[in-house]
Amino acid sequence: MNKRPVTIAVTGLNNIDSPGPGIPVIRSIRESKMFEPRVIGLAYENLEPGIYMHHLVDKTYMVPYPSQGSDALIERVLEIHRSEHFDVLIPNFDAELHAFIKSAPLLRSEGIATMLPTMAQFEERHKSNLPEFGKKYGVNIPRSVPVSNTREMEDAANKYKFPIMVKGKYYDAYIARNMHEAEAFFFKVSAKWGYPVIIQEFIEGTELNVVALGDGTGTTVGAVPMRKTYITDKGKAWGGITIEEPRLLEITRKIIRQTKWRGGMELEMIKSSDGTLYIIEINPRIPAWVYLATGAGQNQPEALLKLALGMETVPFTDYEVGKMFIRYSYDLIIGIKEFEQLTMNGAL
Amino acid sequence: MIRLHKNVALSDSGYVFDPATGESYTLNPIGLEIVQMLRQNMTDDEIQGRILDRYQVDASSLERYYMDFIGSLVQFELADNE
């Protein structure tokens, strides 16, 4: 079968100890039997390892952080598009999604397809909106409240009892066992991610995650559940295994059906000691462990690419249970000339 | 009556995988033999009788170790005590 040439732009090349999903997404798409991809990396930092993985990323351009204004980011992406003509953009950072979702019609008019959730879907599942989300869609969510100062946090802590979870708006989550710890985490998280900080009731149990893909009409195109088998000090999975837990898939399908979710998604859940499943986070993008789903038989990044291109996409019906991933670190050696080229020209 | 969960995977090497949790365990040869008998829906008495026939162990010691082992299977949610 002749492969279809496609040019994709991908962010999240920070394949570090708390990795972005860019490299696993690219690996998955490169394994596609359907597409012959040309991959344009979009990087925020000149030391993102993916920039230098030339067997995966054909060319990389530096782009400004969304915090510098979404207009600057979109203008830069369109400028790159005028030279590289990419067909599909796959953003992989929570912090950039707002800008890309807002600009999706503009990108589309310029010939760039995306497969992103709608702004309503994106906003509804925000950490600060999760309790309302749970009520609306009939799923269990731990109690949580957004706070902007330590007094509000103290009120929440008194209500939930310690330990509590202290979470950043986009990333980072810490277990605080007393007010002293809670305050330290509050300042740490707010300094990095701004306000509000989310205070969430702590549910004791096993963390289980699902990587899923919705087609925007309510159909779940793919869903693979995983249990982390090794967790780093940042709470990220360094190892994981696919599991057979039908209730996780039921909850995932229920959410995608009811929200008509469009694009990639990661559901983070806790299974408490009595077996109750709580959703603790809904990430509106493909997670960094997506390559496990690919290895288990669901190449969800390829399916997302097909959906973005408007191609017919048959939902996955199965995956291999007991498939494991183990991350590793690897030192790339690069010449100073490469680094110079990227730094001086903003492209490599 | 002890019922081993249907989806629990058991290999001849004594490696046990629980697909519902992703947890895995290792069994020694006697443990493997017992779990294989559980899989054949043998009763506690039948299993203990078979072990007594095959190995030099007194009935009271066997019962104590057997119940301890079964308790572990239930605790790890690999089996139910019906």
Side-chain angles (χ1 to χ4, degrees):
Chain A
M1 189 172 91
N2 285 337
K3 289 186 176 182
R4 174 177 170 169
V6 63
T7 302
I8 56 169
V10 180
T11 67
L13 305 183
N14 54 329
N15 206 44
I16 54 172
D17 59 341
S18 178
I23 293 301
V25 164
I26 294 166
R27 280 183 77 193
S28 300
I29 291 172
R30 286 221 177 268
E31 286 181 13
S32 169
K33 292 185 172 61
M34 189 173 295
F35 294 109
E36 187 63 55
R38 180 163 187 272
V39 178
I40 305 301
L42 304 177
Y44 293 101
E45 296 281 348
N46 55 14
L47 282 178
E48 290 182 24
I51 299 168
Y52 307 97
M53 296 180 180
H54 303 305
H55 60 298
L56 293 173
V57 183
D58 294 294
K59 190 166 184 183
T60 300
Y61 290 86
M62 299 301 295
V63 293
Y65 270 112
S67 55
Q68 293 175 31
S70 59
D71 288 350
L73 173 63
I74 300 301
E75 275 171 27
R76 174 66 173 147
V77 168
L78 290 175
E79 182 190 351
I80 298 163
H81 174 60
R82 283 190 275 277
S83 348
E84 298 296 344
H85 311 288
F86 36 83
D87 304 294
V88 178
L89 168 67
I90 306 178
N92 290 300
F93 277 128
D94 290 5
E96 69 189 6
L97 287 179
H98 188 275
F100 286 125
I101 292 170
K102 198 174 77 176
S103 305
L106 171 63
L107 295 171
R108 166 56 79 187
S109 71
E110 295 285 335
I112 305 170
T114 55
M115 190 61 199
L116 293 166
T118 65
M119 191 59 87
Q121 291 167 346
F122 177 74
E123 294 292 345
E124 190 174 48
R125 54 84 251 167
H126 258 302
K127 289 180 194 178
S128 49
N129 298 334
L130 261 191
E132 287 74 32
F133 185 96
K135 278 182 210 152
K136 184 173 175 185
Y137 297 112
V139 289
N140 298 319
I141 309 275
R143 292 179 296 169
S144 71
V145 62
V147 299
S148 299
N149 56 58
T150 52
R151 201 180 58 224
E152 288 175 3
M153 182 173 67
E154 202 168 338
D155 291 343
N158 288 333
K159 196 161 74 179
Y160 301 155
K161 309 292 181 213
F162 283 104
I164 56 170
M165 297 299 299
V166 182
K167 294 185 162 188
K169 191 162 59 169
Y170 296 116
Y171 295 105
D172 285 346
Y174 299 96
I175 301 171
R177 300 190 185 280
N178 52 50
M179 190 51 73
H180 181 71
E181 282 186 1
E183 281 183 3
F185 292 140
F186 175 87
F187 289 120
K188 186 173 179 174
V189 161
S190 59
K192 195 164 176 189
W193 300 113
Y195 298 102
V197 170
I198 314 301
I199 303 302
Q200 191 178 65
E201 179 185 20
F202 177 75
I203 305 286
E204 182 100 46
T206 307
E207 188 178 330
L208 305 170
N209 297 346
V210 182
V211 53
L213 178 63
D215 72 350
T217 69
T219 300
T220 300
V221 175
V224 175
M226 177 274 284
R227 180 177 68 82
K228 294 176 183 177
T229 52
Y230 191 107
I231 300 173
T232 67
D233 57 358
K234 290 186 176 170
K236 303 294 170 188
W238 201 258
I241 185 165
T242 56
I243 58 170
E244 185 179 22
E245 174 47 286
R247 289 188 303 153
L248 288 179
L249 298 180
E250 279 167 27
I251 291 170
T252 305
R253 290 196 190 102
K254 181 178 176 180
I255 288 173
I256 289 179
R257 188 174 58 245
Q258 292 188 104
T259 60
K260 294 188 168 48
W261 188 265
R262 188 171 186 278
M265 149 191 285
E266 181 192 27
L267 285 174
E268 296 186 9
M269 299 192 225
I270 295 277
K271 186 179 180 182
S272 67
S273 50
D274 67 0
T276 307
L277 289 167
Y278 293 86
I279 294 176
I280 54 171
E281 257 177 54
I282 300 173
N283 293 317
R285 50 157 176 81
I286 295 170
W289 60 273
V290 69
Y291 192 71
L292 176 65
T294 304
Q298 292 194 8
N299 191 335
Q300 293 187 18
E302 180 198 51
L304 181 140
L305 189 55
K306 286 168 71 181
L307 288 169
L309 292 167
M311 297 167 69
E312 191 188 346
T313 311
V314 180
F316 295 105
T317 54
D318 206 4
Y319 62 92
E320 193 177 333
V321 175
K323 207 75 169 176
M324 301 172 69
F325 81 91
I326 303 164
R327 280 202 181 122
Y328 67 105
S329 58
Y330 189 93
D331 298 342
L332 287 169
I333 305 299
I334 62 162
I336 193 68
K337 279 287 173 197
E338 278 194 78
F339 192 70
E340 176 192 330
Q341 191 184 329
L342 179 74
T343 306
M344 299 308 290
N345 304 332
L348 180 65
Chain B
M1 181 77 182
I2 301 297
R3 291 272 182 219
L4 198 68
H5 290 173
K6 274 185 188 161
N7 55 355
V8 169
L10 177 66
S11 78
D12 291 341
S13 65
Y15 185 79
V16 178
F17 174 62
D18 181 359
T21 62
E23 295 284 2
S24 54
Y25 310 87
T26 54
L27 296 169
N28 65 16
I30 302 289
L32 173 61
E33 218 174 317
I34 292 172
V35 172
Q36 283 171 333
M37 287 188 271
L38 285 171
R39 175 134 286 174
Q40 292 165 32
N41 293 324
M42 290 172 67
T43 66
D44 291 344
D45 289 344
E46 287 169 338
I47 293 171
Q48 289 184 61
R50 182 79 65 88
I51 298 288
L52 283 171
D53 287 344
R54 288 186 184 174
Y55 300 99
Q56 288 184 333
V57 59
D58 64 86
S60 65
S61 297
L62 172 63
E63 185 176 14
R64 196 167 71 248
Y65 290 127
Y66 178 80
M67 295 317 293
D68 191 38
F69 178 66
I70 295 299
S72 297
L73 294 180
V74 173
Q75 186 190 338
F76 294 140
E77 297 181 2
L78 297 170
D80 283 323
N81 200 346
E82 291 178 351

